[in-house]
Amino acid sequence: MAWNVYLAGEIHSDWREQIAAGAEKAGLDVSFSSPVTDHGASDDVGVAILGDEADSFWKDHKGAGVNAIRTQTLIRDSDVVVVRFGDKYRQWNAAFDAGFAAALGKPVVTLHDGEFDHALKEVDRAAFATARTAEQVVDVLRYVIEGRLPG
Amino acid sequence: MAWNVYLAGEIHSDWREQIAAGAEKAGLDVSFSSPVTDHGASDDVGVAILGDEADSFWKDHKGAGVNAIRTQTLIRDSDVVVVRFGDKYRQWNAAFDAGFAAALGKPVVTLHDGEFDHALKEVDRAAFATARTAEQVVDVLRYVIEGRLPG
Amino acid sequence: MAWNVYLAGEIHSDWREQIAAGAEKAGLDVSFSSPVTDHGASDDVGVAILGDEADSFWKDHKGAGVNAIRTQTLIRDSDVVVVRFGDKYRQWNAAFDAGFAAALGKPVVTLHDGEFDHALKEVDRAAFATARTAEQVVDVLRYVIEGRLPG
Amino acid sequence: MAWNVYLAGEIHSDWREQIAAGAEKAGLDVSFSSPVTDHGASDDVGVAILGDEADSFWKDHKGAGVNAIRTQTLIRDSDVVVVRFGDKYRQWNAAFDAGFAAALGKPVVTLHDGEFDHALKEVDRAAFATARTAEQVVDVLRYVIEGRLPG
Amino acid sequence: MAWNVYLAGEIHSDWREQIAAGAEKAGLDVSFSSPVTDHGASDDVGVAILGDEADSFWKDHKGAGVNAIRTQTLIRDSDVVVVRFGDKYRQWNAAFDAGFAAALGKPVVTLHDGEFDHALKEVDRAAFATARTAEQVVDVLRYVIEGRLPG
Amino acid sequence: MAWNVYLAGEIHSDWREQIAAGAEKAGLDVSFSSPVTDHGASDDVGVAILGDEADSFWKDHKGAGVNAIRTQTLIRDSDVVVVRFGDKYRQWNAAFDAGFAAALGKPVVTLHDGEFDHALKEVDRAAFATARTAEQVVDVLRYVIEGRLPG
Amino acid sequence: MAWNVYLAGEIHSDWREQIAAGAEKAGLDVSFSSPVTDHGASDDVGVAILGDEADSFWKDHKGAGVNAIRTQTLIRDSDVVVVRFGDKYRQWNAAFDAGFAAALGKPVVTLHDGEFDHALKEVDRAAFATARTAEQVVDVLRYVIEGRLPG
Amino acid sequence: MAWNVYLAGEIHSDWREQIAAGAEKAGLDVSFSSPVTDHGASDDVGVAILGDEADSFWKDHKGAGVNAIRTQTLIRDSDVVVVRFGDKYRQWNAAFDAGFAAALGKPVVTLHDGEFDHALKEVDRAAFATARTAEQVVDVLRYVIEGRLPG
């Protein structure tokens, strides 16, 4: 089967591209999906499509609703959810996605540096694996899809 | 992935055709489904296929049962449910479909004029987005499927 | 067991009181719940508690969110959902609740006059019974709870 | 019915006590539950009960597992989940709980200052209400349980 | 815990009374429920409460709807479902209840004579136990509730 | 989408072939599945594959288990379940399949002569439509799949 | 709330009594349930109640069916499932119960000596905690129920 | 439809190859999946990819987490789960997989020698069939997929 892997979380680094490139190089039968990673578009989508808002709370609300159509649909459709936590912003939506996926019974893989270990202990405990690098995520995917260890 | 979008509600205007045309023009990987929109067929299907009824209640009942085979199957199979409320008729079935979809965890998008905002406040609250025009629905679909804002 | 019956829909007539009085007179082991039936409170609750809104759409949205905490919780907790459609307003929320309950597998009983039969055919088809009077609803409850016919 | 309300999130302020006091004063039929709010106990529980760990990652992992027995059980048992985000720490577990609750169909109420509105937009969108003060949460509970506005 | 046991099927013999008497004698903490076993009331309930029907199909349909409010609610609320097949009538509703209960994950116990073994092989296979006598059902309940063998 | 239709029940007449022929003639995008309709094979499969049994109860039990692998899988995979009741045998497995499908939320269509209406009233009530002929089933499928009335 | 804790697995040592005694001493609001721990009764129950069998496979099968009525009901009703693996017998049913509970989203606590760590690694990974002694299980329960560390 | 069959359990004999060869020879439309059957890789995967561990418990834990991404995903995606118990090792993970699959409603087929009948009675009872040889499993698959008996 082709595996659907949803890549949640941080949108300010190229970790998704690294994983996609690694998976392609490894020839894995995997299809990646993700939230919209264009930060500006993601923030503005509500008002850009559905009309302006005077109040920033409702601007955010409108946009978050449209983004949730995409993210919840793709998470429900996925086999594995990888959640990346970076050092910028609070990324509460990444943790929300992890909780949402976990409650649906989706295997979650977290990806973050050791400095966040304590803050992320509940999320990591709910995850099936915690990776430090995009390369490790590719290695995990190669193993779960093809049964091969790296190297 | 190809997105399945169910278009529920009003059957007396061409909003479905507008959305389909807009999605085709935009080249979206989307498949639309809908209830039977031939009003006469939808009303008569029970007695036309399964035998006449003396009592209009049971004529309606029979027809509604057959229509529900289609609508419930397609709603369960869909990724997104768009529900259109127009100014003709009471359209309680549109609201019923919205409630049915919401309880199944399907993202709902409502489509209606501002004059119905107060009457539809509970439905809109359960929806992920409220659009005013078919074009906005296409814009929402383009964004959630391809991550691109209009224009 | 004590039966939990949720009374959804119309809030501008005393049908709930009639059912409750009838059930009490019949000595049924039943507990009724309902949305907030004070129309003004129901409309204003969002801004009354969570702060004012300049835009009526968001005023409605806020209020509908708070009301949904109550209604969705009580519907999920109920054994039977009775949905009343009256002749005032569009009552799309009643139909929404019926769809929500149906998708959760809750038995729905509709309560409305014959003039709405055609408009409500999809909702009635999804219901387990359609009653015309509050007394009939009490009779249905007596039967399903105690196995006794009226009279 | 007695309502079960789970109070998730921040453990470094007295917001839970404020809500409990307010609910008691209002005479609400509500039962509150929460994670273990003794920060030290919560951090140490894994090793304190199940044996020491040389590696802090596994110390956290052990503790988070024990805490999850409590939190997941209480969230599943709750009718409403209130999630508080404060200004200390990253509180990813609060957002995780919100996502977990949302996927289970539990109504979520968020509680946080306006400064976090943008960062929490996805969580707030999934919530049924966003409150700024403990008093507002009590008001929401009074309304959804008893149907009364404050004052 | 108190066990809820639903007794489905045949309504023309006193097997329910035998089981109830046996359970009471054994002092089991069990609560029994059942469909309405007054055959006439069960057949007539639809038209007796909700109005006459000219067509016997719809008379049956109305009655079956009201009965289903009771039976589906009690089956969902039960821990164990005992299904009795007798030699009168076709008792398709007994088999329907067994299928309904099995799909919900409820343990089913069938109760019938050996002459029906071949005809009931699919139902018996889905059941957790097949009993020949009411006494055996009581013995099964004593064992599963109290862990004691008979005698 | 291609519709999966499971044809449950009677295996001693050619109703499945009639439906399949009618659907093919109508050019419907539908895929039919069914239990094994070779009566002898269906009865013997347990002992034929898994070893002989001295006791006919266990011979049936073994066979029913193997048949259930097929039937439960195909029912879960289906969009619509058609259940045929004929005049031969008791066909309790047909009613069991109907209950199983109904509890899973699958639209059920029953197919039987009027003489069984009273005996099947509970099953028909749970069904979305009751047909008398294979041709009517084809007409229902044409309508729900393509939205066209016959003729 | 009172917590329901199911104690699965080994029936040849007094670990259940140790946990119950510890919980009682600690004054925990907990209710324990378990499979029937009388080994002879558990093995014989099928034939003792439902009639003799010539073939030991079917004797076991009958008994296992009756036992499953109890175990599956109690597992579904529990908040936490503790699974004990001892050194006697293969105890595949303990592992089966752990898998069954895990798929239902129940928090699992395993209880076994270190010598089985490698053999139980998949079960331990699915568990929320792994304890070595009955006292540790009591400590875990005290913490998750009352939030108190031991000592 | 193509059937997805997950082959769980023993990894130290060639039973999977026998089943695959038999299915291929029989021309069955079936797709097999399995855990990683390279024992060394399966044991080492956690530390090989995600970093070394000083403590063997955590080495196992890490590896089991990665393996569970594969096994739980494939079990959820499967139509039938075959579980093989051999005479080597305790194979608690095989029983865990059987319980996990059973709770998800997947038909389970067990495959083991008669010497384990008593130890596996609970697992066999939850299974739809118990086979002694790989050839029997192929025969079961041929029958459930194509409706043909062997020979």
Side-chain angles (χ1 to χ4, degrees):
Chain A
M1 79 182 217
W3 288 61
N4 293 328
V5 177
Y6 183 77
L7 304 174
E10 192 193 24
I11 60 172
H12 305 93
S13 71
D14 67 345
W15 67 279
R16 285 186 182 81
E17 288 69 25
Q18 291 180 39
I19 289 176
E24 189 176 30
K25 191 172 165 192
L28 303 183
D29 187 10
V30 62
S31 171
F32 294 106
S33 62
S34 65
V36 171
T37 56
D38 175 338
H39 196 162
S42 172
D43 273 5
D44 293 338
V45 62
V47 295
I49 293 178
L50 299 169
D52 217 6
E53 291 296 331
D55 186 331
S56 67
F57 182 85
W58 296 118
K59 178 193 166 187
D60 281 343
H61 194 81
K62 259 187 173 174
V66 176
N67 280 304
I69 298 174
R70 177 180 174 97
T71 57
Q72 290 192 13
T73 300
L74 294 175
I75 289 175
R76 287 182 191 274
D77 187 56
S78 68
D79 299 302
V80 178
V81 175
V82 180
V83 190
R84 164 71 185 167
F85 293 88
D87 53 7
K88 268 183 150 174
Y89 307 104
R90 286 177 177 264
Q91 305 183 326
W92 279 320
N93 60 323
F96 179 87
D97 287 349
F100 196 89
L104 297 178
K106 306 284 180 188
V108 170
V109 176
T110 51
L111 170 61
H112 60 82
D113 292 343
E115 66 178 304
F116 298 134
D117 279 359
H118 189 63
L120 282 169
K121 64 184 187 295
E122 288 88 0
V123 182
D124 284 346
R125 187 56 181 78
F128 285 44
T130 294
R132 300 305 189 194
T133 67
E135 187 185 3
Q136 286 178 322
V137 174
V138 174
D139 287 345
V140 167
L141 292 176
R142 180 196 294 110
Y143 179 80
V144 300
I145 296 174
E146 304 200 339
R148 291 187 294 118
L149 291 182
Chain B
M1 78 183 217
W3 288 61
N4 293 329
V5 177
Y6 184 76
L7 304 174
E10 193 193 23
I11 61 173
H12 304 93
S13 72
D14 67 345
W15 68 279
R16 284 185 183 81
E17 288 69 24
Q18 291 180 39
I19 290 176
E24 191 177 26
K25 192 172 164 191
L28 303 183
D29 187 10
V30 61
S31 171
F32 294 106
S33 62
S34 65
V36 172
T37 56
D38 175 338
H39 195 164
S42 171
D43 273 5
D44 293 339
V45 62
V47 296
I49 292 177
L50 299 170
D52 216 8
E53 290 297 331
D55 186 331
S56 67
F57 183 87
W58 297 118
K59 178 193 164 186
D60 281 344
H61 193 82
K62 259 187 173 173
V66 176
N67 279 303
I69 299 173
R70 177 179 173 97
T71 57
Q72 289 192 13
T73 301
L74 294 176
I75 290 175
R76 285 182 193 275
D77 187 55
S78 68
D79 299 303
V80 178
V81 176
V82 180
V83 191
R84 164 72 185 165
F85 294 88
D87 54 7
K88 271 183 147 174
Y89 307 103
R90 285 177 177 266
Q91 306 182 324
W92 279 320
N93 62 323
F96 179 87
D97 286 350
F100 197 89
L104 297 178
K106 305 286 179 186
V108 170
V109 176
T110 51
L111 170 60
H112 60 83
D113 291 344
E115 65 178 303
F116 298 135
D117 279 359
H118 189 63
L120 282 168
K121 64 184 189 294
E122 288 87 0
V123 183
D124 284 346
R125 187 55 182 78
F128 284 44
T130 294
R132 300 304 190 196
T133 68
E135 189 184 3
Q136 287 178 322
V137 174
V138 174
D139 288 345
V140 167
L141 292 176
R142 181 195 294 110
Y143 180 80
V144 301
I145 296 174
E146 304 200 339
R148 290 187 293 119
L149 290 182
Chain C
M1 79 181 216
W3 288 61
N4 293 328
V5 177
Y6 184 77
L7 304 173
E10 193 194 22
I11 62 173
H12 304 94
S13 72
D14 66 346
W15 68 278
R16 284 187 184 80
E17 288 70 26
Q18 291 180 40
I19 290 176
E24 190 176 28
K25 193 173 163 191
L28 303 183
D29 188 10
V30 61
S31 171
F32 294 106
S33 61
S34 65
V36 172
T37 55
D38 175 338
H39 195 159
S42 171
D43 273 5
D44 293 340
V45 61
V47 296
I49 293 177
L50 300 170
D52 217 8
E53 290 297 330
D55 185 331
S56 67
F57 183 87
W58 297 118
K59 178 193 166 187
D60 281 343
H61 193 82
K62 260 186 171 174
V66 176
N67 280 304
I69 297 173
R70 177 179 173 97
T71 58
Q72 289 193 13
T73 300
L74 294 176
I75 290 175
R76 286 181 191 275
D77 187 55
S78 68
D79 299 302
V80 178
V81 175
V82 181
V83 190
R84 164 72 184 165
F85 293 88
D87 53 7
K88 269 182 148 173
Y89 307 102
R90 287 177 176 265
Q91 304 183 326
W92 278 320
N93 61 321
F96 180 87
D97 287 350
F100 197 89
L104 297 178
K106 305 285 180 188
V108 170
V109 176
T110 51
L111 170 60
H112 60 82
D113 293 343
E115 67 178 301
F116 298 134
D117 280 0
H118 188 64
L120 282 168
K121 63 183 190 293
E122 288 87 1
V123 182
D124 284 346
R125 186 58 182 74
F128 284 45
T130 294
R132 299 305 190 194
T133 67
E135 189 186 4
Q136 287 179 322
V137 173
V138 174
D139 288 345
V140 167
L141 293 176
R142 180 196 294 110
Y143 179 82
V144 301
I145 296 175
E146 303 199 342
R148 291 186 295 118
L149 290 183
Chain D
M1 82 183 216
W3 288 60
N4 294 329
V5 177
Y6 184 77
L7 304 173
E10 193 193 24
I11 61 173
H12 305 94
S13 72
D14 67 345
W15 68 278
R16 285 186 183 81
E17 288 69 26
Q18 291 180 39
I19 290 177
E24 191 176 28
K25 192 174 165 190
L28 303 183
D29 187 11
V30 62
S31 171
F32 294 105
S33 62
S34 66
V36 172
T37 55
D38 174 338
H39 196 161
S42 172
D43 273 5
D44 293 339
V45 62
V47 296
I49 293 177
L50 299 170
D52 217 7
E53 291 297 332
D55 185 332
S56 67
F57 183 86
W58 296 119
K59 177 193 166 185
D60 281 342
H61 193 82
K62 259 186 171 175
V66 176
N67 279 303
I69 298 174
R70 177 179 174 97
T71 58
Q72 291 193 12
T73 300
L74 294 175
I75 290 175
R76 287 182 191 273
D77 187 55
S78 67
D79 299 302
V80 178
V81 176
V82 180
V83 190
R84 164 72 184 165
F85 293 89
D87 54 6
K88 268 182 148 176
Y89 306 104
R90 287 179 176 264
Q91 305 182 323
W92 279 320
N93 61 322
F96 179 88
D97 286 350
F100 197 88
L104 297 178
K106 306 285 181 188
V108 170
V109 176
T110 51
L111 170 61
H112 60 81
D113 292 344
E115 67 178 300
F116 298 133
D117 280 359
H118 188 64
L120 282 168
K121 64 183 189 295
E122 288 87 1
V123 183
D124 284 346
R125 186 57 182 77
F128 284 43
T130 294
R132 301 304 190 194
T133 68
E135 188 185 4
Q136 287 179 323
V137 174
V138 174
D139 287 344
V140 166
L141 292 176
R142 180 196 295 110
Y143 179 81
V144 300
I145 296 175
E146 304 200 339
R148 292 187 294 119
L149 291 183
Chain E
M1 80 182 215
W3 287 60
N4 294 328
V5 177
Y6 184 78
L7 304 173
E10 194 193 23
I11 61 173
H12 305 93
S13 72
D14 67 345
W15 68 278
R16 285 187 182 81
E17 288 70 25
Q18 291 180 41
I19 290 175
E24 191 175 28
K25 193 173 164 191
L28 303 183
D29 187 9
V30 61
S31 171
F32 293 106
S33 61
S34 65
V36 172
T37 56
D38 175 337
H39 195 162
S42 172
D43 273 4
D44 293 340
V45 62
V47 295
I49 293 177
L50 300 170
D52 216 8
E53 290 297 331
D55 185 331
S56 66
F57 183 86
W58 297 118
K59 178 192 165 186
D60 281 344
H61 194 82
K62 259 186 172 175
V66 177
N67 280 304
I69 298 173
R70 178 179 172 97
T71 58
Q72 290 192 14
T73 300
L74 294 175
I75 290 174
R76 286 182 192 274
D77 187 56
S78 68
D79 299 303
V80 178
V81 176
V82 180
V83 191
R84 165 71 184 165
F85 294 88
D87 54 7
K88 270 182 148 173
Y89 307 102
R90 287 178 176 265
Q91 304 183 327
W92 279 320
N93 61 322
F96 179 87
D97 287 350
F100 196 89
L104 296 178
K106 305 285 180 186
V108 170
V109 176
T110 51
L111 171 60
H112 60 82
D113 292 344
E115 65 178 303
F116 298 135
D117 279 359
H118 189 64
L120 282 168
K121 63 184 191 293
E122 287 88 0
V123 183
D124 284 346
R125 187 55 183 77
F128 284 45
T130 294
R132 300 306 190 193
T133 68
E135 189 185 3
Q136 287 178 324
V137 174
V138 175
D139 287 346
V140 167
L141 292 176
R142 180 196 294 110
Y143 179 81
V144 301
I145 296 174
E146 302 199 341
R148 290 186 294 119
L149 290 183
Chain F
M1 79 182 215
W3 288 61
N4 294 328
V5 177
Y6 184 77
L7 303 173
E10 193 193 24
I11 62 173
H12 304 93
S13 72
D14 66 345
W15 67 278
R16 284 187 182 81
E17 288 69 26
Q18 291 180 40
I19 290 176
E24 190 175 26
K25 192 172 162 192
L28 303 183
D29 187 10
V30 61
S31 170
F32 294 106
S33 61
S34 65
V36 172
T37 56
D38 175 337
H39 196 162
S42 172
D43 273 5
D44 294 339
V45 62
V47 296
I49 293 177
L50 301 170
D52 217 6
E53 290 295 331
D55 187 330
S56 67
F57 183 86
W58 297 118
K59 178 194 165 186
D60 281 342
H61 193 81
K62 260 187 173 172
V66 176
N67 279 304
I69 298 173
R70 176 179 174 98
T71 58
Q72 290 192 14
T73 300
L74 294 176
I75 289 175
R76 286 181 192 275
D77 187 55
S78 68
D79 298 303
V80 178
V81 176
V82 180
V83 190
R84 163 73 184 165
F85 294 88
D87 53 7
K88 270 182 147 174
Y89 308 101
R90 286 177 177 265
Q91 305 181 327
W92 279 319
N93 60 322
F96 179 87
D97 287 350
F100 196 89
L104 297 178
K106 305 285 180 186
V108 170
V109 176
T110 52
L111 171 60
H112 60 83
D113 292 343
E115 65 178 304
F116 298 135
D117 279 359
H118 189 64
L120 282 168
K121 65 184 190 293
E122 288 87 1
V123 183
D124 284 346
R125 186 58 181 77
F128 284 45
T130 294
R132 300 306 189 193
T133 67
E135 189 186 3
Q136 287 179 323
V137 174
V138 174
D139 287 345
V140 167
L141 293 176
R142 180 196 294 110
Y143 179 81
V144 301
I145 296 175
E146 302 199 341
R148 290 186 295 118
L149 290 182
Chain G
M1 81 183 216
W3 287 61
N4 293 329
V5 176
Y6 184 78
L7 304 173
E10 193 193 24
I11 61 174
H12 304 93
S13 73
D14 67 346
W15 68 278
R16 285 187 182 80
E17 289 70 24
Q18 292 181 38
I19 290 176
E24 190 176 29
K25 192 171 164 192
L28 303 183
D29 187 10
V30 62
S31 171
F32 294 106
S33 61
S34 64
V36 172
T37 56
D38 175 338
H39 195 163
S42 171
D43 273 5
D44 293 339
V45 62
V47 296
I49 293 177
L50 300 170
D52 217 6
E53 291 297 331
D55 186 331
S56 67
F57 183 86
W58 297 118
K59 177 192 166 186
D60 282 342
H61 194 81
K62 259 187 172 173
V66 176
N67 280 304
I69 298 173
R70 177 179 173 97
T71 57
Q72 290 192 14
T73 299
L74 294 176
I75 290 175
R76 286 182 192 273
D77 187 56
S78 68
D79 299 302
V80 178
V81 175
V82 180
V83 190
R84 163 72 183 165
F85 294 89
D87 54 6
K88 269 183 149 175
Y89 307 104
R90 286 179 177 263
Q91 305 183 324
W92 279 318
N93 61 322
F96 179 87
D97 286 350
F100 196 89
L104 297 178
K106 306 285 181 187
V108 170
V109 176
T110 51
L111 170 60
H112 60 82
D113 292 343
E115 65 178 301
F116 298 134
D117 279 359
H118 189 62
L120 282 168
K121 64 185 189 294
E122 287 88 1
V123 183
D124 284 346
R125 187 55 182 77
F128 284 44
T130 294
R132 300 305 190 195
T133 68
E135 188 185 4
Q136 287 179 323
V137 174
V138 174
D139 287 345
V140 167
L141 292 176
R142 179 197 294 109
Y143 179 81
V144 300
I145 296 175
E146 303 199 340
R148 290 187 296 119
L149 289 183
Chain H
M1 80 182 215
W3 288 61
N4 294 329
V5 177
Y6 184 78
L7 304 172
E10 192 193 25
I11 60 173
H12 305 93
S13 73
D14 67 346
W15 67 279
R16 285 186 183 81
E17 287 70 25
Q18 291 180 39
I19 290 177
E24 190 175 28
K25 192 173 164 190
L28 303 182
D29 187 10
V30 61
S31 171
F32 294 106
S33 62
S34 65
V36 172
T37 56
D38 174 338
H39 196 161
S42 171
D43 273 5
D44 293 339
V45 62
V47 296
I49 293 178
L50 299 170
D52 217 6
E53 290 296 330
D55 186 331
S56 67
F57 183 86
W58 297 118
K59 178 194 166 186
D60 281 343
H61 194 81
K62 259 187 172 175
V66 176
N67 279 303
I69 298 174
R70 176 180 175 97
T71 59
Q72 291 193 13
T73 299
L74 294 176
I75 289 176
R76 287 182 191 274
D77 187 55
S78 68
D79 299 302
V80 178
V81 175
V82 180
V83 190
R84 164 73 184 166
F85 294 88
D87 54 6
K88 268 183 150 173
Y89 306 103
R90 287 177 176 265
Q91 305 181 325
W92 279 319
N93 60 322
F96 179 88
D97 287 348
F100 196 89
L104 297 178
K106 306 286 180 187
V108 170
V109 176
T110 51
L111 170 61
H112 60 82
D113 292 343
E115 67 177 302
F116 298 134
D117 279 358
H118 188 64
L120 282 168
K121 64 182 190 296
E122 287 87 1
V123 182
D124 284 347
R125 186 56 181 77
F128 285 45
T130 295
R132 300 305 190 195
T133 68
E135 188 185 2
Q136 287 179 323
V137 174
V138 174
D139 288 345
V140 166
L141 292 176
R142 180 196 294 110
Y143 179 81
V144 301
I145 296 174
E146 303 199 340
R148 291 186 295 119
L149 291 182

